[in-house]
Amino acid sequence: MIPAALAIARVKFVLELRRREVIFAMLLFIAATIVIVHFALSGDTGAGSRAAAGMLWAAVVFTAVLGLLRTFAAEQEEGALDALLLAPIDRAAIWIGAALAQFGFLVVVEVVAVPVWWVLFFQAGGPSIGTVVVALLLANIGIALVGTLAAALALGARTRDVLLPVLVLPLVIPIVLAGVTATYGAFGEEVGGLRPLGFLALYDLVFVALAWGTSEHLLGD
Amino acid sequence: MRSLGRLSTTIPLVLSTILIPLTVALAFWWTPEDFDQGLSQKIFYFHVPIALTSYVAFAFGAFSAAMYLWKRTEVWDLRSYVGVHSGTIWGTLVLLTGPIWAKASWGVWWNWGDRQINVFLILFLYYCAYFMLRFSLDEGERRRSASAVFALLGIGLIPLSFLAVRIAQTLIHPVVFSTGGAAMPNSFLLTFLVGFAGMLSLMVLLISTEMRGKRTAARVLQLQRVARGEDA
Amino acid sequence: MEPPVVTLTECSKRFGDRLALRKATLTIAAGETIVLLGPNGAGKSTLLRLVAGLLRPTAGSAQIAGVDATSAPRSLRAGIAYAGHRSQLYRGLTARENLELHARLQGQRDLDITALLNHVGLGDRADEYIDGFSRGMLQRLALARATAHQPALLLLDEPASGLDADGRLLLDATLRAGLGTRTQLVASHDDGLPARLGARAVHLNAGSLA
């Protein structure tokens, strides 16, 4: 189960290293989103503001959806998904592998984007970066999980690319709520303390369980 | 079986015809006017039962989805679809009656600090996406499985949304029930319960009527196929 | 693993409004080889995918060794190989990497990939990305992938398309080697194949078995 998932995730990383299809697009996209949200809030996201903190979450979620559009693309080109479905592996390994890859892509994007965001908006008096990093990591797990689930469900749909954001975004609203709360809390204000982080971990657990229970029905006919 | 099918529409038809007008009568002529909110509080007897009914319909849809994944019979797929469909119809009413109450109580059409209505909004968006998913897949086994899994995931989303909104919330919805039991006069509770029963029976009526339509349509399609000589 | 029995019972498959397979009933005995013949669009691929468990029947059943094909346990799936119209490979990987992935998923640590690639005539192209492979080369690699783990049930969907004369000889030899030792179902346009293999031919036309 774990070795199979890792093998599948590894293939996806190798392909990304060779083709550079997803991560660059995600980086440009997150930069453009941050700029657009900044101008859309016309100055309310100035140095040190809470709006600037919240904006990161909007940008992360939309960027994740962009990456998710290519989740099973490599498996669809030559029908490799059939081979994975017939392999003597737990079928959960297929989406766990895909989710691991999505998680990795998100982390790479954030490693670049979060420091830049920090420098642009918080030369001084920003939220505590440790909390933001933990919240982002937990959120990445959840986003990658439910995103991969939705991408699996949308396989074979006529309007897959249009459909996927519509399926994913309502599912990740709780992540955004908790993530933003955690980030505000990291400004030193008393907003719930560790509870938002605990919630993000709970979210991940609930959807792992649900996805596990339905994984036999997720990808097949 | 046929008589049972008829009963499943007749009973809720009779019940809802009696109970919903009764709720109106009780709400306006029997229950005393609310201390604080005055006449505008009357919408409580409709808005809250409608919202609970909507949750029941979504729960029915999710339950039927689980049954479909277990039994793999088409009728559970239809039930699941009809449940979610009904849930979104009631949900639309929730999102229409909610702002009326909000305007009367807080002077704004939408209160982003109100926990329930925001959870409801997330859930409503989610189940609207169900229809997009379902109708962009070709009719068949794949569509039924994917719809069922999606309907089922909503069960995880409801409590998580409640928790998330609670963690993030700034304002508190006027809590009519305290956790220790009903803190309102008996007349309030009774009217509310009558309203809830009325809305529930109307929901059952709508679901069983739609199910009958769906089953008839499926039967017609099957007969057409037999007529074409496909006999399956 | 022993070669399994494959049974289709009144098996139908519908895609939207189109009936692709209509009440197909077919038994393939353990170790038997069957060539499935029929024009394009007759439902051959659908039948193969139902047997592989990649499709779920609309009505009736498709079973491998007495188990519904869609819910075949891992131990059973380990003995099934299916090569379809598409190569089921990753375009961005080399021929060798594709087979390495397959071996890893099959749990075969000792697979001699170089020998396998030499066997299908791709030894000198082993480390090229399959992006640039011709149809016939992909077909050879797909055949290598499908037979690498010595399956007990081999399902091939028009395996000869795009193959040159040498490739066809290789394919025939592969199928001949499996006669009696594994259950084989091959969809083909080659009317001479059943005779060459000494295998039973089954005709499929407009979704119905003859």
Side-chain angles (χ1 to χ4, degrees):
Chain A
M1 159 69 236
I2 308 266
L6 288 176
I8 291 165
R10 191 174 153 268
V11 166
K12 289 173 170 293
F13 281 118
V14 168
L15 291 178
E16 179 58 24
L17 275 175
R18 288 183 188 162
R19 295 178 164 186
R20 302 206 169 84
E21 278 181 344
V22 182
I23 292 180
F24 271 119
M26 286 171 82
L27 277 171
L28 292 175
F29 189 87
I30 199 167
T33 311
I34 287 179
V35 171
I36 284 178
V37 176
H38 172 72
F39 286 128
L41 298 176
S42 64
D44 279 356
T45 54
S49 78
R50 298 193 348 168
M55 152 173 111
L56 177 70
W57 287 90
V60 163
V61 163
F62 290 127
T63 306
V65 172
L66 183 80
L68 285 164
L69 288 171
R70 300 288 297 168
T71 308
F72 291 107
E75 281 76 11
Q76 290 212 300
E77 287 178 345
E78 283 283 332
L81 192 62
D82 288 347
L84 295 182
L85 286 170
L86 268 177
I89 55 173
D90 200 320
R91 287 197 175 157
I94 302 172
W95 63 258
I96 291 179
L100 276 175
Q102 286 302 325
F103 173 79
F105 295 170
L106 268 175
V107 169
V108 172
V109 168
E110 286 161 0
V111 162
V112 180
V114 172
V116 174
W117 161 80
W118 179 273
V119 169
L120 287 179
F121 295 101
F122 307 104
Q123 283 87 0
S128 120
I129 199 74
T131 313
V132 175
V133 167
V134 174
L136 277 173
L137 284 176
L138 288 169
N140 290 348
I141 298 175
I143 295 170
L145 260 173
V146 297
T148 310
L149 276 182
L153 291 177
L155 277 176
R158 283 184 294 272
T159 51
R160 192 160 57 97
D161 299 346
V162 187
L163 182 61
L164 189 63
V166 178
L167 300 184
V168 176
L169 291 175
L171 278 169
V172 299
I173 293 174
I175 293 185
V176 173
L177 272 168
V180 167
T181 312
T183 312
Y184 286 178
F187 274 102
E189 299 168 34
E190 274 309 306
V191 192
L194 285 175
R195 280 168 66 212
L197 298 182
F199 171 82
L200 287 171
L202 177 72
Y203 181 99
D204 298 347
L205 283 176
V206 167
F207 277 101
V208 164
L210 281 171
W212 201 287
T214 52
S215 60
E216 279 298 312
H217 312 287
L218 211 54
L219 288 156
D221 188 32
Chain B
M1 203 57 213
R2 179 162 299 176
S3 63
L4 189 70
R6 194 152 300 159
L7 277 183
S8 74
T9 47
T10 314
I11 295 174
L13 175 66
V14 171
L15 282 177
S16 53
T17 317
I18 298 171
L19 291 175
I20 292 175
L22 184 64
T23 315
V24 178
L26 290 176
F28 285 97
W29 287 291
W30 187 53
T31 56
E33 203 154 288
D34 188 77
F35 216 64
D36 225 25
Q37 300 184 42
L39 188 67
S40 68
Q41 180 267 346
K42 301 290 185 200
I43 199 170
F44 162 82
Y45 303 113
F46 303 94
H47 172 73
V48 178
I50 287 171
L52 291 176
T53 301
S54 177
Y55 278 119
V56 172
F58 284 133
F60 173 73
F63 167 77
S64 304
M67 288 302 288
Y68 173 74
L69 292 178
W70 184 28
K71 300 276 187 194
R72 294 263 167 205
T73 46
E74 205 179 337
V75 64
W76 283 113
D77 170 66
L78 290 179
R79 284 187 185 131
S80 176
Y81 165 75
V82 169
V84 173
H85 188 203
S86 184
T88 43
I89 293 172
W90 291 95
T92 309
L93 288 176
V94 174
L95 295 180
L96 288 175
T97 51
I100 298 175
W101 196 9
K103 182 71 180 167
S105 321
W106 298 303
V108 285
W109 291 110
W110 193 271
N111 178 1
W112 286 104
D114 173 5
R115 191 189 306 166
Q116 276 88 350
I117 199 77
N118 286 312
V119 170
F120 203 85
L121 186 61
I122 299 173
L123 193 68
F124 186 77
L125 284 175
Y126 179 78
Y127 276 116
C128 284
Y130 172 91
F131 297 98
M132 274 208 67
L133 173 66
R134 190 174 173 95
F135 293 117
S136 64
L137 289 164
D138 284 329
E139 207 254 297
E141 286 69 31
R142 169 90 192 127
R143 167 161 119 180
R144 287 182 220 139
S145 307
S147 308
V149 171
F150 194 78
L152 202 51
L153 292 182
I155 289 297
L157 188 62
I158 299 175
L160 286 172
S161 303
F162 258 109
L163 260 176
V165 171
R166 194 190 179 114
I167 285 170
Q169 97 185 128
T170 49
L171 279 164
I172 296 170
H173 198 51
V175 179
V176 184
F177 292 112
S178 71
T179 42
M184 52 186 179
N186 284 337
S187 60
F188 278 38
L189 181 64
L190 185 73
T191 309
F192 163 77
L193 288 176
V194 170
F196 187 29
M199 295 302 171
L200 268 184
S201 19
L202 185 57
M203 178 202 76
V204 173
L205 175 66
L206 289 177
I207 283 186
S208 54
T209 308
E210 195 179 355
M211 268 310 287
R212 279 172 104 181
K214 291 272 167 210
R215 292 179 94 155
T216 309
R219 180 85 186 117
V220 168
L221 193 62
Q222 194 190 3
L223 288 174
Q224 280 174 345
R225 283 167 181 172
V226 172
R228 259 185 281 158
E230 291 180 353
D231 56 32
Chain C
M1 196 173 107
E2 289 300 298
V5 181
V6 172
T7 11
L8 294 179
T9 315
E10 302 251 301
C11 188
S12 299
K13 180 65 187 181
R14 182 178 282 289
F15 295 107
D17 206 37
R18 194 173 61 82
L19 192 60
L21 191 70
R22 179 175 164 182
K23 290 198 170 182
T25 298
L26 175 70
T27 302
I28 312 174
E32 189 185 12
T33 297
I34 283 187
V35 179
L36 191 60
L37 296 169
N40 293 124
K44 299 190 297 297
S45 300
T46 304
L47 192 149
L48 278 168
R49 292 178 68 80
L50 282 161
V51 172
L54 291 168
L55 292 178
R56 195 176 286 278
T58 308
S61 74
Q63 294 187 321
I64 302 168
V67 183
D68 268 335
T70 43
S71 49
R74 285 165 58 181
S75 56
L76 192 54
R77 288 211 298 267
I80 303 173
Y82 160 71
H85 283 284
R86 294 186 296 170
S87 67
Q88 300 178 27
L89 304 164
Y90 281 95
R91 270 193 206 152
L93 300 182
T94 66
R96 185 187 302 280
E97 287 168 334
N98 266 299
L99 291 183
E100 276 169 0
L101 174 69
H102 178 70
R104 184 165 303 157
L105 295 180
Q106 292 287 337
Q108 287 178 293
R109 299 194 171 275
D110 50 349
L111 184 69
D112 187 347
I113 288 169
T114 309
L116 190 60
L117 284 166
N118 284 331
H119 177 68
V120 296
L122 292 172
D124 52 338
R125 315 289 293 267
D127 296 308
E128 286 179 26
Y129 296 149
I130 65 159
D131 261 356
F133 278 21
S134 69
R135 179 88 212 119
M137 290 164 73
L138 284 177
Q139 202 65 277
R140 283 166 183 252
L141 191 56
L143 189 65
R145 189 194 62 80
T147 52
H149 55 289
Q150 305 295 331
L153 171 62
L154 180 63
L155 307 164
L156 299 180
D157 195 354
E158 297 184 20
S161 69
L163 284 183
D164 54 19
D166 277 357
R168 281 167 204 253
L169 288 177
L170 175 74
L171 174 65
D172 277 14
T174 308
L175 288 170
R176 211 166 277 128
L179 287 175
T181 60
R182 62 177 166 232
T183 311
Q184 306 187 111
L185 179 60
V186 188
S188 177
H189 290 298
D190 181 354
D191 292 332
L193 187 62
R196 286 209 306 282
L197 292 175
R200 177 152 73 107
V202 169
H203 293 267
L204 192 63
N205 209 332
S208 299
L209 285 171

